[in-house]
Amino acid sequence: DTGVSQNPRHKITKRGQNVTFRCDPISEHNRLYWYRQTLGQGPEFLTYFQNEAQLEKSRLLSDRFSAERPKGSFSTLEIQRTEQGDSAMYLCASSSSGQPNTEAFFGQGTRLTVV
Amino acid sequence: GQSLEQPSEVTAVEGAIVQINCTYQTSGFYGLSWYQQHDGGAPTFLSYNALDGLEETGRFSSFLSRSDSYGYLLLQELQMKDSASYFCAVNDGAGNTGKLIFGQGTTLQVKP
């Protein structure tokens, strides 16, 4: 297994456009998380899936953001009508509910720049 | 509200020992984790404390006091490659979902 994979690594888009990011977690992990990180800050929780069910969404997540994990494997995060404030690194992480220490494995992230 | 406090920057010399403190105030708590992140890299897991006391993993140790809502990460025999950002994170979420609430991070600079 090559770990958590995210695509694309970088995305530049014009304000108002829609963007979609993909995350492929570690294959045996049933939990998947999306986080957002801006420069000099820690990752900020966005949403969480267990298998295909989206069980929690941050109250900070506007309705322009939507995430799916249709078959309990890969996940997509879509941002509609992007704004400059959406510019950030979007990180995906996965873990197994069977892990006693709940270690999360992060991908390299997708860096979004909205111009 | 939920908050984690850690120093923004720490500087130390190669071979030294450094301690990064973290205090937290969160609505839920299942444990305290520590992650390392190099510039441009992904956060990588270092350690996890669910119970009070010290956990040791090689050169890194982590401590937790639940009654004080306090923990620290201890790095020994510092190496240049330890220069990175270090984040404490509370494992939060009803039912121990593994959801992480991160601090703002501590930038560690190791000097020769």
Side-chain angles (χ1 to χ4, degrees):
Chain A
D1 200 328
T2 56
V4 179
S5 176
Q6 293 189 244
N7 288 288
R9 292 292 308 278
H10 303 273
K11 178 71 177 179
I12 300 175
T13 190
K14 291 183 178 179
R15 190 174 50 188
Q17 297 293 307
N18 299 344
V19 294
T20 300
F21 312 140
R22 178 179 169 122
C23 172
D24 288 272
I26 293 172
S27 56
E28 61 266 29
H29 285 177
N30 59 342
R31 292 177 169 180
L32 186 146
Y33 312 84
W34 286 97
Y35 292 85
R36 176 171 61 192
Q37 186 176 28
T38 54
L39 197 62
Q41 302 294 315
E44 176 186 43
F45 171 79
L46 295 179
T47 191
Y48 154 65
F49 290 84
Q50 178 143 327
N51 301 311
E52 66 276 10
Q54 187 175 20
L55 298 184
E56 189 171 348
K57 285 176 65 173
S58 168
R59 286 171 294 177
L60 302 174
L61 208 62
S62 79
D63 54 9
R64 295 185 298 106
F65 288 71
S66 63
E68 293 183 342
R69 194 183 183 197
K71 296 183 179 179
S73 56
F74 74 92
S75 176
T76 58
L77 177 68
E78 181 183 18
I79 309 174
Q80 296 183 330
R81 305 181 303 281
T82 52
E83 302 172 357
Q84 286 190 321
D86 298 331
S87 295
M89 177 73 83
Y90 289 83
L91 293 164
C92 176
S94 69
S95 70
S96 170
S97 57
Q99 288 283 346
N101 63 7
T102 64
E103 173 182 353
F105 293 81
F106 283 81
Q108 295 283 345
T110 295
R111 182 170 296 283
L112 173 66
T113 303
V114 181
V115 297
Chain B
Q2 302 186 76
S3 67
L4 289 89
E5 297 288 334
Q6 52 181 129
S8 57
E9 293 182 4
V10 173
T11 301
V13 296
E14 237 179 332
I17 299 172
V18 72
Q19 178 173 314
I20 300 173
N21 297 322
C22 174
T23 58
Y24 60 87
Q25 182 177 6
T26 58
S27 56
F29 182 86
Y30 288 91
L32 187 71
S33 299
W34 289 90
Y35 283 79
Q36 178 193 61
Q37 187 177 33
H38 287 97
D39 276 348
T44 55
F45 174 82
L46 292 177
S47 70
Y48 173 71
N49 295 68
L51 302 175
D52 287 359
L54 190 69
E55 294 282 342
E56 297 182 72
T57 309
R59 295 187 297 116
F60 295 170
S61 303
S62 58
F63 172 82
L64 175 65
S65 169
R66 295 179 67 138
S67 60
D68 296 322
S69 298
Y70 164 75
Y72 66 72
L73 178 70
L74 191 72
L75 297 86
Q76 303 181 20
E77 301 172 16
L78 282 175
Q79 302 175 8
M80 297 297 291
K81 67 179 182 178
D82 296 330
S83 293
S85 293
Y86 292 84
F87 296 92
C88 59
V90 166
N91 291 62
D92 193 358
N96 195 9
T97 62
K99 167 188 168 185
L100 295 168
I101 306 297
F102 283 86
Q104 293 198 332
T106 299
T107 301
L108 171 63
Q109 185 178 16
V110 180
K111 294 186 173 180

